[in-house]
Each structure stands twice: as C-alpha cells, then as structure tokens.
C-alpha cells in the first residue's frame, strides 16, 4: 500500500465537504440490504409490545396488511417471520411445526396473497413449538441430532408448500442443510432457497427474542451442545463450508455486532452471499441507550447497520429495518 507523507498528503482533504466524502465512500447501505424480522401471533386485531424490545410488536395475521404496508412501500426486499405459539399447542416433539395450517403457514399465505413480491423467510427450528424450548428433540436430556434433522426437513417442506421463499434453518443440527435440500427437491421445491444460520453462537443476546416468543421461561438448560462457542472462529469457517457443500444458497452469522470478525472471515474465505442477524439483544441494547438520550437514534441505527456492510455482508436482518429504510429514503 502506498500513501503519501504529510504535509504533501493530507487525508482530511477528502473529508473537507459532503460531496467528496460521498465520492470516496467505500461502502453503502441501501434498502436492498435490509431484512425485517416480524413476530406473528394468533387471534384477531392483536398488537402487543415486546417488553424488552421497545417499538417491536407481535401482530395477528389479520393486521399484517397494515403492519407490512410501510416496509413494502419503502422497498424492503424480505421479511423473516417468527410465530408465537401458545404453551397449549407446544409439545415435546414440536408437532405443530409440521401442521400445514400452523401460524407460520397461515401468515405466509396471507403475506403472499397481499404482497406477492415481498420475500418471505421462514425460520426452521423446533423451539417455537416445543414445550422445552429447544430447537430439536430431547432424548436422555440431550438434544439429539439425526432424529431432529428429519423433523426439520419436514418442517421446511411444510413451509415451502405454504409459499415460503427462503428456508432459514436456525437450529444448528449437523447435516440439516443437506437433508432439507434433498427433501425440498423431492417435494418439487428446487427453487426454494436456503439461507443457513451457518455460524450461530450460543449467545446471551437472544434473551429478548425468547421473551417475544414466550420460549424463554420454558427453556430448560442452555443451547451450548448445538450452538457454537463464542470463543471460536476457525470452527465458523468449517460450519459455513459444510453448509455450502450441502447446498446452502446464502449463509448467515449470528449475532451480528459482537461477531463482525467472523463475518469478515466468512466473506474473505468463501465469497458467497453473506448475511448477519442484528439480534434482539443488540436491538435492546441500542434502544435502551437511545431511550435514555445517551445515543443519537438515527445516527446510531444507520452506523450499526453500515458496520455489517463494511464487514462484508450483503444484507442484515434487523428489527430496525423499517426505521433504517425510512431514514435512507429521506436522505436520498
Ligand atoms: C431460534 C431462534 C433464535 C433466534 C432466531 N431463531 C433464538 C435462539 O436460538 O434461542 C434469535 C433472534 C434474536 O435474538 O433476535 N431457533
């Protein structure tokens, strides 16, 4: 790398005014980079606030038209749907996951009817449906792999049949991408894409999400036998490599901001479509500071998202997606 020496070279010159700052900007954030995670619940005319995520709501299917209208008009490419399953419908095997008429499927059909061009991303994992809050089946106090994978593949086909465009397995079982790919293809869904939560860490930052889903109180133990150890980085590359070999079209790193180093390594190593999830705890953390007046809301939101682009992401799942899209459309 060649740089001039001061005083002939003055890096501040390019920062002198807005137009040169724009000309030399190395990364951009646009609405195309945003995916909006959305919580859906049963019932009618229901909108409830998630206590630990100020500004985030759970909405019933009949309100989705209104709830998604602004996201659609701003041009957000896709939403990621998360269903709230009441305890009465949960069981040890997460049976509701494969019910063709479950909330996830009903919400998807409704979104596709209302907004056919809006991409729908479906989370595949059993935790919204199990009474123990784990992402797979439990035998002898252990979340078993291969039997869980079989169910996850059926869950994925069930979602694809309802119209989900992108299957996003967030369960971290071994071999699930390959099993899901084969099951989708056999069922005739060869164009249904897979965005794998390839490097998903056993993180403290999912707390508010489990609060939103109502699975936090149910969860027995932790998810450390299947989600990754926050200490590891080479292992993330092996996880991504496996998922790509098994047919993943896009990969994800999760959480986001504490794992920007992983995103950069994944991008540099594989050069495939890479995403990150700015998770519930990151949202809660930023919102808490914003609500205290400790951070400037608009600038903090955009800077936190630009960081993902700089680290090498194509896009970000963010609870701020609509706020950010609004800010970006204003500044355009
Ligand atoms: C569950 C799932 C989780 C999230 C997305 N899918 C939580 C978990 O693994 O316990 C977290 C998202 C967030 O925190 O915003 N498979």
């Amino acid at each position: 790398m060649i740089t001039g020496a001061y005083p002939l070279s003055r890096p501040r010159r390019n920062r002198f005014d807005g137009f040169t700052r724009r000309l030399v900007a190395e990364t951009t954030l646009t609405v195309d980079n945003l995916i909006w995670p959305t919580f859906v619940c049963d019932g009618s005319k229901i909108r409830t606030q998630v206590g630990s995520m100020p500004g985030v709501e759970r909405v019933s299917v009949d309100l989705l038209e209104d709830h998604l209208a602004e996201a659609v008009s701003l041009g957000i490419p896709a939403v990621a749907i998360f269903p709230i399953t009441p305890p009465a419908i949960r069981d040890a095997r997460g049976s509701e996951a494969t019910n063709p008429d479950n909330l996830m499927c009903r919400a998807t059909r409704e979104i596709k009817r209302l907004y056919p061009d809006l991409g729908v991303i479906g989370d595949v994992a059993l935790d919204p449906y199990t009474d123990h809050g784990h992402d797979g089946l439990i035998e002898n106090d252990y979340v078993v792999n291969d039997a869980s994978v079989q169910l996850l593949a059926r869950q994925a086909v069930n979602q694809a049949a309802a119209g989900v465009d992108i299957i996003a397995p967030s369960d971290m079982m071994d071999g699930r991408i390959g099993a899901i790919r084969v099951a989708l293809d056999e069922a005739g869904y060869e164009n249904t894409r897979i965005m794998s939560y390839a490097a998903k860490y056993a993180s403290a930052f999912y707390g508010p999400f489990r609060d939103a889903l109502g699975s936090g109180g149910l969860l027995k133990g932790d998810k450390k036998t299947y989600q990754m150890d926050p200490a590891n980085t080479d292992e993330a590359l092996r996880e991504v490599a496996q998922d790509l070999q098994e047919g993943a079209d896009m990969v994800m790193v999760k959480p986001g901001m504490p794992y920007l180093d992983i995103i950069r390594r994944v991008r540099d190593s594989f050069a495939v479509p890479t995403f990150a999830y700015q998770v519930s705890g990151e949202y809660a953390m930023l919102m808490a500071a914003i609500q205290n007046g400790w951070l400037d809301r608009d600038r903090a939101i955009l800077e936190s998202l630009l960081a993902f682009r700089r680290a090498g992401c194509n896009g970000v799942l963010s609870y701020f997606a609509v706020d950010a899209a609004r800010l970006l459309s204003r500044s355009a």
Side-chain angles (χ1 to χ4, degrees):
M1 201 192 299
I2 300 171
T3 58
Y6 171 84
L8 297 180
S9 168
R10 290 179 183 268
R12 289 184 56 192
R13 270 190 216 114
N14 281 341
R15 300 175 204 139
F16 184 71
D17 46 27
F19 84 85
T20 34
R21 287 195 295 270
R22 280 165 57 213
L23 284 171
V24 303
E26 297 173 38
T27 26
T28 55
L29 177 70
T30 78
V31 68
D32 295 337
N33 310 128
L34 301 170
I35 294 170
W36 195 32
T38 303
F39 296 112
V40 181
C41 64
D42 250 316
S44 71
K45 305 249 177 314
I46 294 182
R47 252 181 210 282
T48 57
Q49 302 288 324
V50 179
S52 47
M53 301 175 74
V56 173
E57 297 170 326
R58 312 171 184 89
V59 300
S60 53
V61 176
D62 56 324
L63 297 184
L64 280 174
E65 178 167 16
D66 177 61
H67 188 66
L68 298 178
E70 189 182 11
V72 170
S73 73
L74 286 165
I76 289 182
V79 289
I81 304 298
F82 294 95
I84 318 286
T85 314
I89 304 180
R90 291 170 177 258
D91 63 22
R93 298 182 52 83
S95 311
E96 182 67 3
T98 49
N99 171 4
D101 229 13
N102 67 19
L103 182 56
M104 177 72 209
C105 294
R106 281 182 280 124
T108 300
R109 285 193 292 265
E110 180 68 354
I111 294 170
K112 283 287 151 186
R113 184 181 72 80
L114 293 164
Y115 305 115
D117 297 331
L118 178 66
V120 173
I121 300 178
D123 188 76
V124 164
L126 297 184
D127 60 314
Y129 311 101
T130 49
D131 55 14
H132 45 69
H134 279 287
D135 296 29
L137 298 175
I138 297 186
E139 285 170 24
N140 302 323
D141 291 332
Y142 183 68
V143 176
V144 291
N145 197 83
D146 299 7
S148 299
V149 167
Q150 283 185 11
L151 272 182
L152 294 164
R154 286 178 50 207
Q155 179 185 17
V157 172
N158 189 39
Q159 291 187 5
V164 168
D165 302 289
I166 303 180
I167 296 294
S170 68
D171 55 282
M172 289 301 280
M173 299 301 122
D174 293 334
R176 87 268 209 227
I177 301 302
I180 289 172
R181 185 69 270 162
V182 168
L184 288 172
D185 289 359
E186 278 175 5
Y189 301 111
E190 65 273 1
N191 284 325
T192 300
R193 281 128 284 177
I194 298 178
M195 177 189 286
S196 143
Y197 286 69
K200 176 171 176 179
Y201 288 84
S203 170
F205 290 92
Y206 309 147
F209 173 95
R210 294 177 191 167
D211 179 21
L213 241 60
S215 54
L218 299 172
L219 184 64
K220 296 193 181 78
D222 56 46
K223 301 191 177 185
K224 289 181 186 169
T225 70
Y226 45 107
Q227 297 179 348
M228 283 180 57
D229 182 345
N232 295 354
T233 148
D234 290 340
E235 187 185 353
L237 301 186
R238 296 197 295 275
E239 285 281 4
V240 169
Q242 272 202 4
D243 286 1
L244 290 171
Q245 267 167 355
E246 292 177 25
D249 303 288
M250 316 172 212
V251 296
M252 194 203 298
V253 173
K254 177 188 178 189
M257 201 139 75
Y259 295 84
L260 292 173
D261 58 322
I262 309 296
I263 297 168
R264 172 46 65 196
R265 285 196 79 193
V266 167
R267 184 82 209 183
D268 288 346
S269 305
F270 299 100
V272 296
T274 304
F275 293 80
Y277 200 141
Q278 183 181 50
V279 299
S280 56
E282 299 173 64
Y283 177 88
M285 198 162 66
L286 284 164
M287 280 305 288
I290 288 166
Q291 288 192 326
N292 269 298
W294 294 339
L295 286 176
D296 178 290
R297 177 183 177 279
D298 297 357
R299 291 181 56 210
I301 290 174
L302 291 180
E303 187 177 331
S304 74
L305 293 170
L306 186 64
F308 293 104
R309 296 282 294 149
R310 199 182 58 240
C313 278
N314 292 74
V316 191
L317 288 89
S318 171
Y319 301 97
F320 287 119
V322 173
D323 300 300
R326 215 181 281 141
L327 292 170
L328 292 168
S329 75
R330 238 181 265 153
S331 67

